[in-house]
Amino acid sequence: MIGADGRERPMVIVRVPATSANVGVGFDCLGIALDLTATFLMTPSDRLEIEGCEQRFRGEDNLVWQSYLDACERLGTQARPLHITILSPIPLSGGLGSSSACVIAGIGAAMALSPEGFDRARALELAVAIEGHPDNVAPALLGGLVSSFVDERGQTTSTRMDVAGNLRFVAVAPPYEVRTAEARRVLPTEVTRETAVWQMGRCVAVVRALELGDAALLAAACHDRLHEPYRAKLIPDYEPLREAALAAGACAYMISGSGSTMLAVADVDETAARVADALRAERPDFWLQTLPANTLGTTVEVH
């Protein structure tokens, strides 16, 4: 791209996959990357310009821009105005990591335009610092299924695993949001020992089922007691859609993140197509996509 001064300016292209946090029983620790990719084109400019999103997101408070500024400060590099083009198919209703994608895009641009360039491990550190938690940003950066925890020093450890190729994730998003604050507020502050044991055993089994593509194991294990029974009440369409998906052959049905997006998991394309048809018949006006897991995570190019 040629600037107003006639000099060529680099273009940074950051591609970030959608993500689903919790993955049913993995509350605040599991996340999975899905093959629905947001693309961000960013070029140094004479002034901040943002296109490709709603007008209300085109100001100084844009999350891509704010994350870029934050990352530049943490990296010790000078922030320059950017021309930002956002090409994102990720719904804004919540639950598929649209905000995490913006955070990572800003970090990607800051790192790519710095002398050191893009480094995935450092990007994860910055993303957790900016976002406050790793459950979406870790799978978005790394791809696949990711388990994360933060130690007492604030250091994040993320473990990446592959997701079996036979599994499909049918994402359905209502045209309304579930506020994260409200989704947190409805959760109990304490759980019983029985619930803790129930959750831990099933969390391990769900990870193994996703790695192996074992639909029967996933069906047996993916039954959450920590957050979904409470958050489901915030999504009026949860129960009818869950019933429709399971009746059509889905092996699991879960709230994606804190909602309002939901995921049905199906074994092989034919089953996924039946599940998608059933969900579409139940709520024809809802956003719906059938997706495999994403294996690449975030990619950054400089042209």
Side-chain angles (χ1 to χ4, degrees), residues 12-14 42 67-68 71 75 101-114 117-119 123 126 141 298-302:
V12 179
I13 304 175
V14 183
M42 290 164 285
S67 300
Y68 166 78
L75 292 168
C102 291
V103 168
I104 291 170
I107 292 169
M111 297 188 79
L113 294 172
S114 74
F118 181 72
D119 176 79
L126 292 174
L141 279 163
T298 295
T299 62
V300 178
E301 302 172 16
V302 181

Side-chain angles (χ1 to χ4, degrees), residues 160-197:
R160 184 198 179 281
M161 294 147 280
D162 288 324
V163 178
N166 60 299
L167 296 177
R168 294 293 179 268
F169 302 86
V170 185
V172 56
Y176 51 81
E177 297 180 37
V178 171
R179 299 291 182 186
T180 302
E182 179 67 9
R184 286 281 176 186
R185 189 190 65 78
V186 299
L187 299 182
T189 56
E190 296 181 353
V191 298
T192 65
R193 182 188 304 171
E194 178 188 12
T195 298
V197 172

Side-chain angles (χ1 to χ4, degrees), residues 195-270:
T195 298
V197 172
W198 168 283
Q199 205 77 11
M200 287 188 292
R202 283 163 177 77
C203 187
V204 174
V206 162
V207 169
R208 190 64 174 151
L210 291 170
E211 283 188 292
L212 296 176
D214 189 333
L217 178 58
L218 191 60
C222 199
H223 298 281
D224 173 79
R225 286 186 176 179
L226 276 184
H227 69 107
E228 289 197 346
Y230 310 97
R231 289 175 167 174
K233 297 173 184 177
L234 302 176
I235 306 173
D237 301 283
Y238 172 85
E239 198 55 46
L241 288 173
R242 178 180 178 275
E243 291 176 3
L246 296 177
C251 56
Y253 192 82
M254 62 191 75
I255 298 171
S256 185
S258 58
S260 60
T261 303
M262 295 157 279
L263 285 186
V265 188
D267 183 15
V268 305
D269 288 325
E270 293 79 3

Side-chain angles (χ1 to χ4, degrees), residues 8 22 35 42 69 150 166 221-222 232 254 288 299:
E8 189 171 11
N22 300 324
D35 208 10
M42 290 164 285
L69 293 177
V150 181
N166 60 299
C222 199
M254 62 191 75
L288 186 146
T299 62

